[in-house]
Amino acid sequence: MKRFFPVYVRVPLIFFTCYGLLEYFIDSGDKPAMIAYPSVMLLLGLILLVIIALEIVASASNNIINQLMTPEERAQKEALDNTPISQLPFVKNLLQKLTKTHGLENEKEIELEHDYDGIKELDNDLPPWWVYLFYATVIFGVIYIGKYHLFGGDNQIQELEKDMMIAQKEIEEYKKTAPDLLTADKVVLLTDAGDISAGKAIFDANCVACHRADGGGGIGPNLTDEYWILGGDVKEIFNTIMEGGRDGKGMVAWKQQIKPSDIQKVASYILSLQGKNPADGKAPEGDKVAASAGAAPVKNDSLVAPQASAPDA
């Protein structure tokens, strides 16, 4: 066996087989198991050390056995080691069973009476491997005809179309409940206290630098009045936060930093600020927007001329 798998083949083969099994049975997501779990790397290192140790012990044992052999036994072993693989007994027996070849000394037994200018024909049987392969193709053909021509089985194109339909349905079902695939047309105003509180936390962490903690506006516009530069409906506010404001002078897009489901909470929190109007709030900017199904009722009726040059809401 060592002739087929020398040490420089055995060690990598055993090691990578162990690594493949660990990768298969350990769920590490998109990362390799040895990166996701450092303990796996330690285990692989231990396995490699054990393999090397076993090879060293086996090599030392072979050396001791060779020293204990008689010269005749050693010569016999060397002769066996130098025998071509095709001449090994078990290889010869396997080839004989698969081919049923006859030796040159037995050709006279299978010679036919045909003689063409001194060239004689041998009555060799078909090789068993060829016969077995032929039988396998016949069985496959019968099954194929029965499934696809007699019982109406789906061909590859039909199977692909059905799998694509199933996959599309699964994607649509997933989109119905996947918050991070939320788009502006699916956004609704959230009124749950937990959602509003979560929106406030995100707002405090990212938005107060431009809009102040009370929403009264600083670099950015006042979010507590009824004037909006890019629309005051919850869907419009969601889209503004996602995609950013006007090119060159508006708010940056937050879709890379904040998940859509969280942006919906921020938009809902912003609308909960309607009507608070802090005393030192920034002057209104944009167009007056009446309260709608997507916005909280507006309590401020003050009319101040809008300033279109300020950053977007």
Side-chain angles (χ1 to χ4, degrees), residues 267-281:
S268 299
Y269 168 70
I270 289 173
L271 286 175
S272 74
L273 299 176
Q274 285 289 285
K276 295 188 180 298
N277 296 319
D280 56 346

Side-chain angles (χ1 to χ4, degrees), residues 94-102 124-128 132:
L94 178 62
L95 292 175
Q96 178 62 31
K97 290 179 180 179
L98 291 176
T99 60
K100 280 192 177 180
T101 55
H102 297 271
N124 281 309
D125 294 330
L126 285 172
Y132 298 149

Side-chain angles (χ1 to χ4, degrees), residues 209-276:
C210 295
H211 296 284
R212 291 186 3 191
D214 57 9
I219 299 174
N222 189 335
L223 301 177
T224 65
D225 59 27
E226 55 188 328
Y227 289 85
W228 299 90
I229 297 173
L230 295 176
D233 182 82
V234 66
K235 299 180 187 297
E236 295 168 329
I237 298 174
F238 174 90
N239 187 70
T240 301
I241 300 172
M242 279 279 290
E243 304 298 337
R246 296 165 297 173
D247 293 338
K249 56 181 178 180
M251 182 176 66
V252 298
W254 287 92
K255 58 186 177 183
Q256 300 299 329
Q257 290 83 13
I258 307 176
K259 297 188 297 184
S261 57
D262 289 337
I263 291 178
Q264 179 178 226
K265 295 172 184 175
V266 175
S268 299
Y269 168 70
I270 289 173
L271 286 175
S272 74
L273 299 176
Q274 285 289 285
K276 295 188 180 298

